[in-house]
mmCIF file of all heavy atoms in Angstrom:
data_model
loop_
_atom_site.group_PDB
_atom_site.id
_atom_site.type_symbol
_atom_site.label_atom_id
_atom_site.label_comp_id
_atom_site.label_asym_id
_atom_site.label_seq_id
_atom_site.Cartn_x
_atom_site.Cartn_y
_atom_site.Cartn_z
ATOM 1 N N MET A 14 -1.502 34.341 -10.132
ATOM 2 C CA MET A 14 -1.223 33.177 -10.957
ATOM 3 C C MET A 14 -0.194 32.236 -10.261
ATOM 4 O O MET A 14 -0.333 31.029 -10.306
ATOM 5 C CB MET A 14 -0.693 33.676 -12.295
ATOM 6 C CG MET A 14 -0.513 32.573 -13.305
ATOM 7 S SD MET A 14 -2.089 31.908 -13.788
ATOM 8 C CE MET A 14 -1.708 31.280 -15.357
ATOM 9 N N LEU A 15 0.815 32.872 -9.674
ATOM 10 C CA LEU A 15 1.826 32.092 -8.989
ATOM 11 C C LEU A 15 1.265 31.401 -7.740
ATOM 12 O O LEU A 15 1.593 30.254 -7.445
ATOM 13 C CB LEU A 15 3.019 32.975 -8.609
ATOM 14 C CG LEU A 15 4.203 32.275 -7.951
ATOM 15 C CD1 LEU A 15 4.806 31.283 -8.901
ATOM 16 C CD2 LEU A 15 5.243 33.277 -7.517
ATOM 17 N N ALA A 16 0.358 32.104 -7.044
ATOM 18 C CA ALA A 16 -0.258 31.536 -5.855
ATOM 19 C C ALA A 16 -1.121 30.308 -6.227
ATOM 20 O O ALA A 16 -1.176 29.329 -5.500
ATOM 21 C CB ALA A 16 -1.074 32.571 -5.131
ATOM 22 N N ARG A 17 -1.821 30.390 -7.364
ATOM 23 C CA ARG A 17 -2.671 29.260 -7.782
ATOM 24 C C ARG A 17 -1.796 28.054 -8.137
ATOM 25 O O ARG A 17 -2.117 26.931 -7.761
ATOM 26 C CB ARG A 17 -3.486 29.693 -8.981
ATOM 27 C CG ARG A 17 -4.491 28.628 -9.331
ATOM 28 C CD ARG A 17 -5.367 28.926 -10.510
ATOM 29 N NE ARG A 17 -5.330 30.282 -11.036
ATOM 30 C CZ ARG A 17 -5.778 30.616 -12.221
ATOM 31 N NH1 ARG A 17 -6.359 29.751 -13.010
ATOM 32 N NH2 ARG A 17 -5.689 31.880 -12.648
ATOM 33 N N ARG A 18 -0.717 28.307 -8.845
ATOM 34 C CA ARG A 18 0.192 27.167 -9.197
ATOM 35 C C ARG A 18 0.816 26.586 -7.924
ATOM 36 O O ARG A 18 0.957 25.371 -7.805
ATOM 37 C CB ARG A 18 1.273 27.653 -10.136
ATOM 38 C CG ARG A 18 0.760 27.906 -11.518
ATOM 39 C CD ARG A 18 1.887 28.275 -12.440
ATOM 40 N NE ARG A 18 1.390 28.554 -13.780
ATOM 41 C CZ ARG A 18 2.111 29.036 -14.720
ATOM 42 N NH1 ARG A 18 3.400 29.333 -14.504
ATOM 43 N NH2 ARG A 18 1.611 29.278 -15.905
ATOM 44 N N PHE A 19 1.204 27.444 -7.005
ATOM 45 C CA PHE A 19 1.755 26.955 -5.748
ATOM 46 C C PHE A 19 0.775 26.132 -4.943
ATOM 47 O O PHE A 19 1.083 25.094 -4.357
ATOM 48 C CB PHE A 19 2.286 28.124 -4.921
ATOM 49 C CG PHE A 19 2.984 27.691 -3.659
ATOM 50 C CD1 PHE A 19 4.200 27.074 -3.672
ATOM 51 C CD2 PHE A 19 2.373 27.923 -2.418
ATOM 52 C CE1 PHE A 19 4.860 26.677 -2.530
ATOM 53 C CE2 PHE A 19 2.996 27.500 -1.262
ATOM 54 C CZ PHE A 19 4.262 26.889 -1.316
ATOM 55 N N THR A 20 -0.505 26.539 -4.942
ATOM 56 C CA THR A 20 -1.543 25.825 -4.234
ATOM 57 C C THR A 20 -1.768 24.464 -4.861
ATOM 58 O O THR A 20 -1.879 23.443 -4.177
ATOM 59 C CB THR A 20 -2.856 26.626 -4.242
ATOM 60 O OG1 THR A 20 -2.624 27.890 -3.652
ATOM 61 C CG2 THR A 20 -3.943 25.905 -3.516
ATOM 62 N N ILE A 21 -1.861 24.403 -6.207
ATOM 63 C CA ILE A 21 -2.029 23.142 -6.899
ATOM 64 C C ILE A 21 -0.844 22.225 -6.627
ATOM 65 O O ILE A 21 -0.962 21.033 -6.356
ATOM 66 C CB ILE A 21 -2.239 23.384 -8.379
ATOM 67 C CG1 ILE A 21 -3.546 24.079 -8.612
ATOM 68 C CG2 ILE A 21 -2.167 22.077 -9.172
ATOM 69 C CD1 ILE A 21 -3.790 24.551 -10.003
ATOM 70 N N PHE A 22 0.369 22.797 -6.644
ATOM 71 C CA PHE A 22 1.558 22.003 -6.373
ATOM 72 C C PHE A 22 1.567 21.433 -4.962
ATOM 73 O O PHE A 22 1.849 20.234 -4.745
ATOM 74 C CB PHE A 22 2.800 22.864 -6.577
ATOM 75 C CG PHE A 22 4.085 22.174 -6.223
ATOM 76 C CD1 PHE A 22 4.620 21.257 -7.111
ATOM 77 C CD2 PHE A 22 4.740 22.463 -5.079
ATOM 78 C CE1 PHE A 22 5.787 20.606 -6.788
ATOM 79 C CE2 PHE A 22 5.929 21.806 -4.739
ATOM 80 C CZ PHE A 22 6.444 20.893 -5.597
ATOM 81 N N CYS A 23 1.149 22.220 -3.987
ATOM 82 C CA CYS A 23 1.092 21.764 -2.607
ATOM 83 C C CYS A 23 0.032 20.685 -2.438
ATOM 84 O O CYS A 23 0.269 19.725 -1.695
ATOM 85 C CB CYS A 23 0.805 22.936 -1.656
ATOM 86 S SG CYS A 23 2.232 24.018 -1.471
ATOM 87 N N LEU A 24 -1.114 20.852 -3.063
ATOM 88 C CA LEU A 24 -2.142 19.816 -2.962
ATOM 89 C C LEU A 24 -1.675 18.497 -3.596
ATOM 90 O O LEU A 24 -1.908 17.440 -3.023
ATOM 91 C CB LEU A 24 -3.438 20.312 -3.626
ATOM 92 C CG LEU A 24 -4.168 21.402 -2.867
ATOM 93 C CD1 LEU A 24 -5.329 21.916 -3.707
ATOM 94 C CD2 LEU A 24 -4.651 20.896 -1.543
ATOM 95 N N LEU A 25 -1.039 18.553 -4.721
ATOM 96 C CA LEU A 25 -0.545 17.363 -5.353
ATOM 97 C C LEU A 25 0.562 16.679 -4.522
ATOM 98 O O LEU A 25 0.591 15.449 -4.385
ATOM 99 C CB LEU A 25 0.004 17.692 -6.748
ATOM 100 C CG LEU A 25 -1.074 17.979 -7.814
ATOM 101 C CD1 LEU A 25 -0.405 18.396 -9.104
ATOM 102 C CD2 LEU A 25 -1.928 16.772 -8.035
ATOM 103 N N MET A 26 1.436 17.474 -3.937
ATOM 104 C CA MET A 26 2.500 16.890 -3.110
ATOM 105 C C MET A 26 1.910 16.280 -1.834
ATOM 106 O O MET A 26 2.404 15.236 -1.372
ATOM 107 C CB MET A 26 3.531 17.957 -2.750
ATOM 108 C CG MET A 26 4.419 18.330 -3.920
ATOM 109 S SD MET A 26 5.392 16.971 -4.546
ATOM 110 C CE MET A 26 4.594 16.630 -6.091
ATOM 111 N N SER A 27 0.905 16.902 -1.265
ATOM 112 C CA SER A 27 0.314 16.305 -0.046
ATOM 113 C C SER A 27 -0.428 15.023 -0.404
ATOM 114 O O SER A 27 -0.397 14.079 0.370
ATOM 115 C CB SER A 27 -0.634 17.310 0.623
ATOM 116 O OG SER A 27 -1.682 17.608 -0.243
ATOM 117 N N LEU A 28 -1.078 14.974 -1.540
ATOM 118 C CA LEU A 28 -1.751 13.746 -1.978
ATOM 119 C C LEU A 28 -0.726 12.637 -2.206
ATOM 120 O O LEU A 28 -0.904 11.496 -1.760
ATOM 121 C CB LEU A 28 -2.562 14.025 -3.244
ATOM 122 C CG LEU A 28 -3.313 12.822 -3.811
ATOM 123 C CD1 LEU A 28 -4.389 12.382 -2.834
ATOM 124 C CD2 LEU A 28 -3.920 13.170 -5.141
ATOM 125 N N PHE A 29 0.352 12.969 -2.898
ATOM 126 C CA PHE A 29 1.415 11.997 -3.100
ATOM 127 C C PHE A 29 2.028 11.535 -1.758
ATOM 128 O O PHE A 29 2.305 10.368 -1.601
ATOM 129 C CB PHE A 29 2.517 12.628 -3.983
ATOM 130 C CG PHE A 29 3.733 11.735 -4.133
ATOM 131 C CD1 PHE A 29 3.697 10.607 -4.943
ATOM 132 C CD2 PHE A 29 4.890 12.025 -3.443
ATOM 133 C CE1 PHE A 29 4.801 9.815 -5.094
ATOM 134 C CE2 PHE A 29 6.030 11.229 -3.588
ATOM 135 C CZ PHE A 29 5.959 10.108 -4.413
ATOM 136 N N GLY A 30 2.213 12.444 -0.831
ATOM 137 C CA GLY A 30 2.749 12.098 0.441
ATOM 138 C C GLY A 30 1.836 11.155 1.233
ATOM 139 O O GLY A 30 2.344 10.211 1.870
ATOM 140 N N MET A 31 0.545 11.364 1.168
ATOM 141 C CA MET A 31 -0.385 10.479 1.868
ATOM 142 C C MET A 31 -0.399 9.086 1.224
ATOM 143 O O MET A 31 -0.451 8.079 1.904
ATOM 144 C CB MET A 31 -1.782 11.078 1.867
ATOM 145 C CG MET A 31 -1.940 12.262 2.796
ATOM 146 S SD MET A 31 -3.626 12.817 2.989
ATOM 147 C CE MET A 31 -4.012 13.347 1.360
ATOM 148 N N LEU A 32 -0.382 9.065 -0.090
ATOM 149 C CA LEU A 32 -0.336 7.726 -0.770
ATOM 150 C C LEU A 32 0.973 7.013 -0.489
ATOM 151 O O LEU A 32 0.965 5.789 -0.266
ATOM 152 C CB LEU A 32 -0.519 7.943 -2.279
ATOM 153 C CG LEU A 32 -1.890 8.385 -2.738
ATOM 154 C CD1 LEU A 32 -1.889 8.679 -4.245
ATOM 155 C CD2 LEU A 32 -2.927 7.364 -2.397
ATOM 156 N N PHE A 33 2.064 7.708 -0.489
ATOM 157 C CA PHE A 33 3.344 7.091 -0.165
ATOM 158 C C PHE A 33 3.372 6.602 1.278
ATOM 159 O O PHE A 33 3.896 5.500 1.556
ATOM 160 C CB PHE A 33 4.469 8.060 -0.418
ATOM 161 C CG PHE A 33 5.846 7.461 -0.249
ATOM 162 C CD1 PHE A 33 6.308 6.558 -1.201
ATOM 163 C CD2 PHE A 33 6.631 7.827 0.814
ATOM 164 C CE1 PHE A 33 7.569 6.017 -1.048
ATOM 165 C CE2 PHE A 33 7.882 7.267 0.967
ATOM 166 C CZ PHE A 33 8.367 6.369 0.025
ATOM 167 N N ALA A 34 2.839 7.401 2.209
ATOM 168 C CA ALA A 34 2.777 6.944 3.613
ATOM 169 C C ALA A 34 1.926 5.685 3.761
ATOM 170 O O ALA A 34 2.245 4.801 4.534
ATOM 171 C CB ALA A 34 2.282 8.089 4.487
ATOM 172 N N ALA A 35 0.799 5.651 3.065
ATOM 173 C CA ALA A 35 -0.044 4.456 3.140
ATOM 174 C C ALA A 35 0.655 3.232 2.567
ATOM 175 O O ALA A 35 0.539 2.149 3.101
ATOM 176 C CB ALA A 35 -1.363 4.717 2.421
ATOM 177 N N LEU A 36 1.379 3.433 1.492
ATOM 178 C CA LEU A 36 2.137 2.335 0.877
ATOM 179 C C LEU A 36 3.214 1.828 1.831
ATOM 180 O O LEU A 36 3.353 0.616 2.024
ATOM 181 C CB LEU A 36 2.748 2.778 -0.429
ATOM 182 C CG LEU A 36 3.558 1.782 -1.203
ATOM 183 C CD1 LEU A 36 2.645 0.672 -1.749
ATOM 184 C CD2 LEU A 36 4.299 2.442 -2.328
ATOM 185 N N VAL A 37 3.930 2.724 2.452
ATOM 186 C CA VAL A 37 4.970 2.315 3.400
ATOM 187 C C VAL A 37 4.407 1.643 4.605
ATOM 188 O O VAL A 37 4.924 0.622 5.097
ATOM 189 C CB VAL A 37 5.849 3.544 3.777
ATOM 190 C CG1 VAL A 37 6.777 3.227 4.932
ATOM 191 C CG2 VAL A 37 6.620 4.033 2.609
ATOM 192 N N ALA A 38 3.275 2.146 5.127
ATOM 193 C CA ALA A 38 2.655 1.552 6.285
ATOM 194 C C ALA A 38 2.135 0.144 5.958
ATOM 195 O O ALA A 38 2.202 -0.758 6.786
ATOM 196 C CB ALA A 38 1.507 2.428 6.789
ATOM 197 N N GLU A 39 1.572 -0.085 4.777
ATOM 198 C CA GLU A 39 1.049 -1.376 4.374
ATOM 199 C C GLU A 39 2.162 -2.355 4.206
ATOM 200 O O GLU A 39 2.063 -3.516 4.595
ATOM 201 C CB GLU A 39 0.252 -1.212 3.084
ATOM 202 C CG GLU A 39 -0.426 -2.489 2.667
ATOM 203 C CD GLU A 39 -1.561 -2.903 3.581
ATOM 204 O OE1 GLU A 39 -2.188 -2.068 4.213
ATOM 205 O OE2 GLU A 39 -1.830 -4.157 3.657
ATOM 206 N N ALA A 40 3.294 -1.938 3.657
ATOM 207 C CA ALA A 40 4.446 -2.832 3.454
ATOM 208 C C ALA A 40 5.088 -3.244 4.792
ATOM 209 O O ALA A 40 5.681 -4.303 4.883
ATOM 210 C CB ALA A 40 5.465 -2.161 2.542
ATOM 211 N N GLY A 41 4.974 -2.385 5.776
ATOM 212 C CA GLY A 41 5.576 -2.662 7.067
ATOM 213 C C GLY A 41 4.759 -3.595 7.951
ATOM 214 O O GLY A 41 5.274 -4.107 8.940
ATOM 215 N N ARG A 42 3.506 -3.797 7.619
ATOM 216 C CA ARG A 42 2.683 -4.680 8.458
ATOM 217 C C ARG A 42 3.010 -6.134 8.269
ATOM 218 O O ARG A 42 3.252 -6.574 7.128
ATOM 219 C CB ARG A 42 1.215 -4.462 8.099
ATOM 220 C CG ARG A 42 0.635 -3.180 8.532
ATOM 221 C CD ARG A 42 -0.828 -3.166 8.231
ATOM 222 N NE ARG A 42 -1.385 -1.835 8.464
ATOM 223 C CZ ARG A 42 -2.540 -1.440 7.982
ATOM 224 N NH1 ARG A 42 -3.244 -2.262 7.235
ATOM 225 N NH2 ARG A 42 -2.985 -0.226 8.249
ATOM 226 N N PRO A 43 3.004 -6.904 9.304
ATOM 227 C CA PRO A 43 3.176 -8.361 9.105
ATOM 228 C C PRO A 43 1.967 -8.957 8.471
ATOM 229 O O PRO A 43 0.864 -8.483 8.634
ATOM 230 C CB PRO A 43 3.379 -8.863 10.565
ATOM 231 C CG PRO A 43 2.716 -7.864 11.418
ATOM 232 C CD PRO A 43 2.895 -6.527 10.714
ATOM 233 N N ALA A 44 2.202 -10.008 7.714
ATOM 234 C CA ALA A 44 1.084 -10.678 7.055
ATOM 235 C C ALA A 44 0.227 -11.405 8.068
ATOM 236 O O ALA A 44 0.732 -11.999 9.027
ATOM 237 C CB ALA A 44 1.626 -11.670 6.033
ATOM 238 N N ARG A 45 -1.085 -11.319 7.896
ATOM 239 C CA ARG A 45 -2.007 -12.039 8.780
ATOM 240 C C ARG A 45 -2.044 -13.514 8.365
ATOM 241 O O ARG A 45 -1.843 -13.843 7.228
ATOM 242 C CB ARG A 45 -3.392 -11.410 8.686
ATOM 243 C CG ARG A 45 -3.387 -9.960 9.161
ATOM 244 C CD ARG A 45 -4.808 -9.419 9.131
ATOM 245 N NE ARG A 45 -5.275 -9.363 7.772
ATOM 246 C CZ ARG A 45 -5.503 -8.270 7.117
ATOM 247 N NH1 ARG A 45 -5.222 -7.114 7.645
ATOM 248 N NH2 ARG A 45 -5.977 -8.305 5.865
ATOM 249 N N SER A 46 -2.332 -14.323 9.310
ATOM 250 C CA SER A 46 -2.216 -15.776 9.059
ATOM 251 C C SER A 46 -3.262 -16.189 8.024
ATOM 252 O O SER A 46 -2.970 -17.091 7.217
ATOM 253 C CB SER A 46 -2.410 -16.552 10.332
ATOM 254 O OG SER A 46 -3.690 -16.291 10.876
ATOM 255 N N TRP A 47 -4.467 -15.594 8.015
ATOM 256 C CA TRP A 47 -5.437 -16.052 7.030
ATOM 257 C C TRP A 47 -5.106 -15.547 5.622
ATOM 258 O O TRP A 47 -5.436 -16.211 4.669
ATOM 259 C CB TRP A 47 -6.859 -15.628 7.443
ATOM 260 C CG TRP A 47 -7.061 -14.168 7.625
ATOM 261 C CD1 TRP A 47 -7.316 -13.279 6.626
ATOM 262 C CD2 TRP A 47 -6.974 -13.434 8.831
ATOM 263 N NE1 TRP A 47 -7.432 -12.034 7.193
ATOM 264 C CE2 TRP A 47 -7.233 -12.087 8.544
ATOM 265 C CE3 TRP A 47 -6.748 -13.782 10.177
ATOM 266 C CZ2 TRP A 47 -7.247 -11.085 9.473
ATOM 267 C CZ3 TRP A 47 -6.745 -12.772 11.120
ATOM 268 C CH2 TRP A 47 -6.989 -11.476 10.766
ATOM 269 N N ASP A 48 -4.387 -14.402 5.521
ATOM 270 C CA ASP A 48 -3.943 -13.965 4.210
ATOM 271 C C ASP A 48 -2.880 -14.862 3.650
ATOM 272 O O ASP A 48 -2.886 -15.171 2.489
ATOM 273 C CB ASP A 48 -3.387 -12.549 4.311
ATOM 274 C CG ASP A 48 -4.474 -11.523 4.460
ATOM 275 O OD1 ASP A 48 -5.671 -11.830 4.216
ATOM 276 O OD2 ASP A 48 -4.171 -10.369 4.855
ATOM 277 N N VAL A 49 -1.954 -15.312 4.516
ATOM 278 C CA VAL A 49 -0.909 -16.209 4.039
ATOM 279 C C VAL A 49 -1.500 -17.554 3.653
ATOM 280 O O VAL A 49 -1.143 -18.146 2.648
ATOM 281 C CB VAL A 49 0.162 -16.362 5.166
ATOM 282 C CG1 VAL A 49 1.171 -17.451 4.770
ATOM 283 C CG2 VAL A 49 0.860 -15.057 5.405
ATOM 284 N N ALA A 50 -2.417 -18.062 4.453
ATOM 285 C CA ALA A 50 -3.029 -19.357 4.168
ATOM 286 C C ALA A 50 -3.846 -19.345 2.880
ATOM 287 O O ALA A 50 -3.904 -20.308 2.137
ATOM 288 C CB ALA A 50 -3.897 -19.807 5.337
ATOM 289 N N ASN A 51 -4.551 -18.262 2.631
ATOM 290 C CA ASN A 51 -5.400 -18.168 1.446
ATOM 291 C C ASN A 51 -4.657 -17.800 0.172
ATOM 292 O O ASN A 51 -5.139 -18.025 -0.930
ATOM 293 C CB ASN A 51 -6.558 -17.167 1.666
ATOM 294 C CG ASN A 51 -7.507 -17.693 2.685
ATOM 295 O OD1 ASN A 51 -7.662 -18.888 2.856
ATOM 296 N ND2 ASN A 51 -8.211 -16.792 3.337
ATOM 297 N N SER A 52 -3.493 -17.197 0.301
ATOM 298 C CA SER A 52 -2.806 -16.668 -0.864
ATOM 299 C C SER A 52 -1.999 -17.716 -1.598
ATOM 300 O O SER A 52 -1.619 -17.500 -2.734
ATOM 301 C CB SER A 52 -1.896 -15.520 -0.463
ATOM 302 O OG SER A 52 -0.879 -16.015 0.395
ATOM 303 N N CYS A 53 -1.666 -18.855 -0.974
ATOM 304 C CA CYS A 53 -0.850 -19.808 -1.681
ATOM 305 C C CYS A 53 -1.480 -21.201 -1.563
ATOM 306 O O CYS A 53 -1.661 -21.706 -0.477
ATOM 307 C CB CYS A 53 0.571 -19.817 -1.132
ATOM 308 S SG CYS A 53 0.689 -20.067 0.622
ATOM 309 N N TRP A 54 -1.829 -21.774 -2.686
ATOM 310 C CA TRP A 54 -2.354 -23.133 -2.692
ATOM 311 C C TRP A 54 -1.383 -24.101 -3.308
ATOM 312 O O TRP A 54 -1.234 -25.198 -2.818
ATOM 313 C CB TRP A 54 -3.685 -23.170 -3.503
ATOM 314 C CG TRP A 54 -4.787 -22.552 -2.748
ATOM 315 C CD1 TRP A 54 -5.193 -21.246 -2.827
ATOM 316 C CD2 TRP A 54 -5.584 -23.148 -1.772
ATOM 317 N NE1 TRP A 54 -6.260 -21.019 -1.968
ATOM 318 C CE2 TRP A 54 -6.528 -22.163 -1.294
ATOM 319 C CE3 TRP A 54 -5.660 -24.385 -1.167
ATOM 320 C CZ2 TRP A 54 -7.475 -22.423 -0.320
ATOM 321 C CZ3 TRP A 54 -6.613 -24.647 -0.226
ATOM 322 C CH2 TRP A 54 -7.488 -23.678 0.183
ATOM 323 N N PHE A 55 -0.711 -23.695 -4.352
ATOM 324 C CA PHE A 55 0.155 -24.622 -5.068
ATOM 325 C C PHE A 55 1.620 -24.426 -4.805
ATOM 326 O O PHE A 55 2.397 -25.384 -4.805
ATOM 327 C CB PHE A 55 -0.122 -24.516 -6.578
ATOM 328 C CG PHE A 55 -1.553 -24.781 -6.953
ATOM 329 C CD1 PHE A 55 -2.369 -23.781 -7.311
ATOM 330 C CD2 PHE A 55 -2.039 -26.072 -6.850
ATOM 331 C CE1 PHE A 55 -3.697 -24.034 -7.639
ATOM 332 C CE2 PHE A 55 -3.364 -26.342 -7.133
ATOM 333 C CZ PHE A 55 -4.177 -25.308 -7.543
ATOM 334 N N GLY A 56 2.074 -23.178 -4.532
ATOM 335 C CA GLY A 56 3.499 -22.907 -4.362
ATOM 336 C C GLY A 56 3.989 -22.944 -2.925
ATOM 337 O O GLY A 56 5.144 -22.690 -2.703
ATOM 338 N N CYS A 57 3.136 -23.267 -1.988
ATOM 339 C CA CYS A 57 3.551 -23.232 -0.579
ATOM 340 C C CYS A 57 4.181 -24.532 -0.160
ATOM 341 O O CYS A 57 3.857 -25.604 -0.681
ATOM 342 C CB CYS A 57 2.373 -22.944 0.307
ATOM 343 S SG CYS A 57 1.780 -21.259 0.153
ATOM 344 N N PRO A 58 5.022 -24.487 0.853
ATOM 345 C CA PRO A 58 5.516 -25.702 1.468
ATOM 346 C C PRO A 58 4.365 -26.528 2.076
ATOM 347 O O PRO A 58 3.293 -25.987 2.331
ATOM 348 C CB PRO A 58 6.461 -25.240 2.577
ATOM 349 C CG PRO A 58 6.780 -23.843 2.272
ATOM 350 C CD PRO A 58 5.614 -23.261 1.467
ATOM 351 N N SER A 59 4.571 -27.783 2.247
ATOM 352 C CA SER A 59 3.525 -28.672 2.679
ATOM 353 C C SER A 59 2.978 -28.337 4.065
ATOM 354 O O SER A 59 1.816 -28.632 4.371
ATOM 355 C CB SER A 59 4.002 -30.097 2.635
ATOM 356 O OG SER A 59 5.107 -30.273 3.538
ATOM 357 N N HIS A 60 3.765 -27.735 4.929
ATOM 358 C CA HIS A 60 3.300 -27.458 6.277
ATOM 359 C C HIS A 60 2.306 -26.261 6.318
ATOM 360 O O HIS A 60 1.652 -26.070 7.289
ATOM 361 C CB HIS A 60 4.436 -27.216 7.247
ATOM 362 C CG HIS A 60 5.195 -25.933 6.986
ATOM 363 N ND1 HIS A 60 6.190 -25.877 6.022
ATOM 364 C CD2 HIS A 60 5.093 -24.771 7.579
ATOM 365 C CE1 HIS A 60 6.660 -24.645 6.057
ATOM 366 N NE2 HIS A 60 6.020 -23.943 6.981
ATOM 367 N N LEU A 61 2.211 -25.486 5.207
ATOM 368 C CA LEU A 61 1.300 -24.358 5.157
ATOM 369 C C LEU A 61 -0.014 -24.729 4.487
ATOM 370 O O LEU A 61 -0.986 -23.964 4.548
ATOM 371 C CB LEU A 61 1.928 -23.180 4.470
ATOM 372 C CG LEU A 61 3.081 -22.522 5.167
ATOM 373 C CD1 LEU A 61 3.668 -21.375 4.320
ATOM 374 C CD2 LEU A 61 2.667 -21.972 6.523
ATOM 375 N N ARG A 62 -0.099 -25.832 3.814
ATOM 376 C CA ARG A 62 -1.302 -26.211 3.158
ATOM 377 C C ARG A 62 -2.290 -26.837 4.106
ATOM 378 O O ARG A 62 -1.962 -27.445 5.089
ATOM 379 C CB ARG A 62 -0.985 -27.257 2.035
ATOM 380 C CG ARG A 62 -0.273 -26.682 0.866
ATOM 381 C CD ARG A 62 -0.178 -27.696 -0.234
ATOM 382 N NE ARG A 62 0.777 -27.222 -1.221
ATOM 383 C CZ ARG A 62 1.390 -28.000 -2.065
ATOM 384 N NH1 ARG A 62 1.153 -29.310 -2.098
ATOM 385 N NH2 ARG A 62 2.208 -27.500 -2.971
ATOM 386 N N HIS A 63 -3.540 -26.689 3.816
ATOM 387 C CA HIS A 63 -4.612 -27.235 4.669
ATOM 388 C C HIS A 63 -5.302 -28.360 3.971
ATOM 389 O O HIS A 63 -5.594 -28.335 2.841
ATOM 390 C CB HIS A 63 -5.629 -26.147 5.019
ATOM 391 C CG HIS A 63 -5.025 -25.058 5.855
ATOM 392 N ND1 HIS A 63 -5.107 -25.087 7.241
ATOM 393 C CD2 HIS A 63 -4.291 -23.962 5.547
ATOM 394 C CE1 HIS A 63 -4.473 -24.045 7.712
ATOM 395 N NE2 HIS A 63 -3.973 -23.360 6.703
#
């Protein structure tokens, strides 16, 4: 019974760890120019509008 709970706990922690690592990796990436250009139409400074 304890081994089953420990296995479930380890699987949940590894899943959480992978999701957290993906979140951190995505936040650390610089924005691509086409994402920045497409994401703001009204709130951007005039030099970023097309």
Side-chain angles (χ1 to χ4, degrees):
M14 186 67 155
L15 183 63
R17 187 180 351 164
R18 287 184 182 172
F19 183 71
T20 302
I21 292 170
F22 177 76
C23 287
L24 289 173
L25 287 174
M26 288 298 108
S27 63
L28 181 65
F29 174 75
M31 288 189 296
L32 291 174
F33 186 71
L36 181 67
V37 170
E39 185 68 29
R42 288 185 188 163
R45 296 184 296 250
S46 61
W47 59 84
D48 286 343
V49 172
N51 291 334
S52 66
C53 54
W54 285 95
F55 301 108
C57 290
S59 61
H60 69 279
L61 291 178
R62 289 188 192 159
H63 294 265

